[in-house]
């Protein structure tokens, strides 16, 4: 007979295909994961994984075992919650990849609820939202500004957010007046480095005015926010960031409003994982609860 405690290791390797990624999920080393898989195969007297250059691939026996192991995992999780009286006893590392702007919003408005729901979860945020982090199993979940091609990923719209053109009160008092979009060309702009834009959703200056050229460029939204805040010019900023600073003023507020969408993506192999489904739902619920911050009805500074 095999040891029931070996099943989480089997499921983690089946989902992540890499020992190191499976170890992060469980909260142990890749050496321990390899040892537990070897022990499970020895006790069952069958090979569950083929070891390949790209990682661990399920054998036909492993694929037959997977649905039963997932059912056992769901039942074990339900039983643990019922018996312990806690919402979730899930343990291990959960890594989310997201843009740094969203990471700020996440830490301010969503993190506490997630940690309360999963008190034993070790949360890691990676502010490099690239599909490669999913394909290399370096993240369990990714928040991005563009949808990801369907196979082999599950991708869904998470929610919209609003951006405006902002300048500091000090800058706008001494700068040429702005009565229409064409007036923007007389002002210095702060924006992204074109050849380092990692998502189409960040390429928005054409939507403001095709003639705009940036005087200062940065791959970091927080560097752009700091330079605009310092009075060096105008920049396109997410409202949920800019409204925290009372001295930032939106330009042509009735006309210049941009809208973008955050997308939530994960590898299809892990989409059925209970922890991935529950974390995803908590993020959805939090986005809906704080929708007024992402899409404000006006542009008054946020005081709370």
């Amino acid at each position: 007979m095999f040891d029931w405690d070996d099943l989480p290791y089997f499921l983690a390797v089946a989902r992540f295909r890499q020992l190191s990624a499976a170890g992060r999920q469980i909260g142990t080393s890749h050496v321990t994961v390899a040892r537990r898989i070897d022990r499970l195969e020895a006790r069952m007297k069958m090979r569950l994984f083929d070891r390949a250059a790209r990682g661990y691939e399920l054998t036909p026996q492993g694929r037959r075992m997977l649905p039963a192991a997932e059912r056992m995992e769901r039942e074990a999780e339900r039983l643990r919650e019922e018996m312990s009286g806690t919402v979730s006893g899930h343990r291990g590392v959960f890594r989310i990849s997201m843009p740094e702007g969203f990471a700020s919003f996440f830490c301010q408005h969503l993190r506490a609820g997630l940690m309360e729901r999963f008190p034993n979860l070790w949360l890691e945020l990676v502010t490099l939202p690239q599909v490669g982090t999913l394909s290399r199993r370096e993240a369990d979940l990714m928040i991005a500004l563009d949808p990801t091609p369907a196979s082999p990923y599950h991708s869904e719209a998470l929610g919209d957010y609003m951006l405006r053109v902002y300048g500091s009160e000090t800058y706008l008092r001494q700068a040429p007046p702005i009565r229409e979009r064409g007036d923007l060309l007389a002002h210095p702009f702060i924006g992204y480095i074109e050849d380092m834009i990692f998502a189409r959703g960040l390429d928005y200056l054409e939507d403001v005015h095709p003639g705009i050229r940036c005087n200062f460029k940065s791959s970091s939204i927080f560097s752009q926010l700091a330079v605009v805040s310092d009075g060096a010019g105008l920049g396109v900023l997410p409202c949920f960031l800019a409204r925290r600073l009372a001295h930032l003023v939106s330009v042509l507020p009735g006309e210049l409003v941009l809208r973008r969408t955050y997308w939530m993506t994960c590898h299809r192999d892990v989409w059925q994982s209970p922890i991935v489904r529950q974390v995803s739902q908590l993020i959805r619920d939090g986005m809906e609860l704080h929708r007024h911050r992402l899409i404000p009805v006006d542009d008054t500074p946020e005081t709370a």
Side-chain angles (χ1 to χ4, degrees):
M1 281 291 295
F2 66 89
D3 188 334
W4 297 98
D5 289 339
D6 289 336
L7 285 184
Y9 296 86
F10 167 77
L11 287 169
V13 175
R15 289 164 179 160
F16 292 95
R17 294 196 176 95
Q18 300 288 338
L19 295 180
S20 56
R24 282 197 303 270
Q25 172 68 18
I26 296 173
T28 189
S29 70
H30 68 281
V31 175
T32 299
V33 176
R35 185 170 64 247
R36 297 295 285 265
I37 293 299
D38 290 343
R39 186 174 75 173
L40 178 61
E41 289 180 330
R43 288 183 170 180
M44 295 193 69
K45 295 183 173 58
M46 65 177 65
R47 197 163 188 82
L48 301 173
F49 295 96
D50 286 326
R51 283 70 167 169
R54 297 180 61 183
Y56 279 52
E57 299 289 342
L58 286 168
T59 64
Q61 294 93 333
R63 287 194 294 273
R64 285 200 299 271
M65 180 175 168
L66 183 60
E70 289 178 329
R71 288 195 298 272
M72 294 165 68
E73 177 187 48
R74 288 192 293 270
E75 287 301 307
E77 183 69 23
R78 182 185 62 81
L79 179 62
R80 179 166 53 246
E81 291 179 1
E82 288 183 1
M83 298 302 293
S84 66
T86 60
V87 179
S88 176
H90 181 87
R91 294 179 180 273
V93 174
F94 195 92
R95 182 177 288 180
I96 311 177
S97 172
M98 58 183 66
E100 61 174 356
F102 185 87
S104 174
F105 178 84
F106 178 91
C107 289
Q108 185 176 20
H109 301 297
L110 306 182
R111 177 200 56 81
L114 184 64
M115 301 308 292
E116 180 180 356
R117 175 70 167 79
F118 297 102
N120 299 314
L121 198 69
W122 304 325
L123 186 63
E124 295 182 351
L125 300 187
V126 180
T127 55
L128 293 172
Q130 300 173 353
V131 174
T133 62
L134 291 179
S135 63
R136 295 189 297 270
R137 306 305 174 100
E138 294 172 354
D140 304 291
L141 199 64
M142 180 176 75
I143 310 299
L145 288 164
D146 296 316
T148 303
S151 181
Y153 306 105
H154 170 88
S155 190
E156 63 182 70
L158 182 58
D160 290 355
Y161 69 102
M162 188 179 292
L163 306 99
R164 296 178 185 270
V165 176
Y166 286 92
S168 72
E169 291 177 338
T170 302
Y171 171 78
L172 291 172
R173 274 198 301 268
Q174 54 83 34
I178 304 172
R179 300 184 180 90
E180 59 182 27
R181 292 196 187 210
D183 295 335
L184 296 172
L185 300 181
H187 295 260
F189 254 80
I190 291 89
Y192 283 99
I193 304 169
E194 290 87 345
D195 58 1
M196 296 186 70
I197 291 177
F198 59 82
R200 293 190 305 273
L202 296 178
D203 192 9
Y204 35 60
L205 285 182
E206 283 286 324
D207 295 344
V208 176
H209 193 292
I212 291 176
R213 298 293 179 267
C214 290
N215 302 69
F216 179 88
K217 302 177 184 180
S218 173
S219 60
S220 166
I221 187 63
F222 288 110
S223 293
Q224 296 176 40
L225 177 65
V227 175
V228 173
S229 180
D230 198 40
L234 305 178
V236 180
L237 301 169
C239 294
F240 65 81
L241 289 179
R243 289 171 74 241
R244 298 182 198 171
L245 303 177
H247 67 283
L248 290 185
V249 179
S250 61
V251 174
L252 300 177
E255 180 181 356
L256 282 176
V257 180
L258 304 180
R259 197 162 174 144
R260 293 294 187 266
T261 302
Y262 283 122
W263 293 79
M264 183 162 56
T265 302
C266 72
H267 205 284
R268 286 190 179 276
D269 289 347
V270 303
W271 177 238
Q272 296 303 323
S273 165
I275 184 62
V276 171
R277 298 296 290 267
Q278 292 178 51
V279 168
S280 300
Q281 188 58 52
L282 277 175
I283 293 175
R284 286 191 212 98
D285 294 343
M287 291 285 284
E288 183 60 30
L289 179 65
H290 295 282
R291 189 172 185 272
H292 64 287
R293 303 178 191 275
L294 295 161
I295 308 177
V297 295
D298 56 43
D299 204 42
T300 56
E302 185 174 319
T303 57

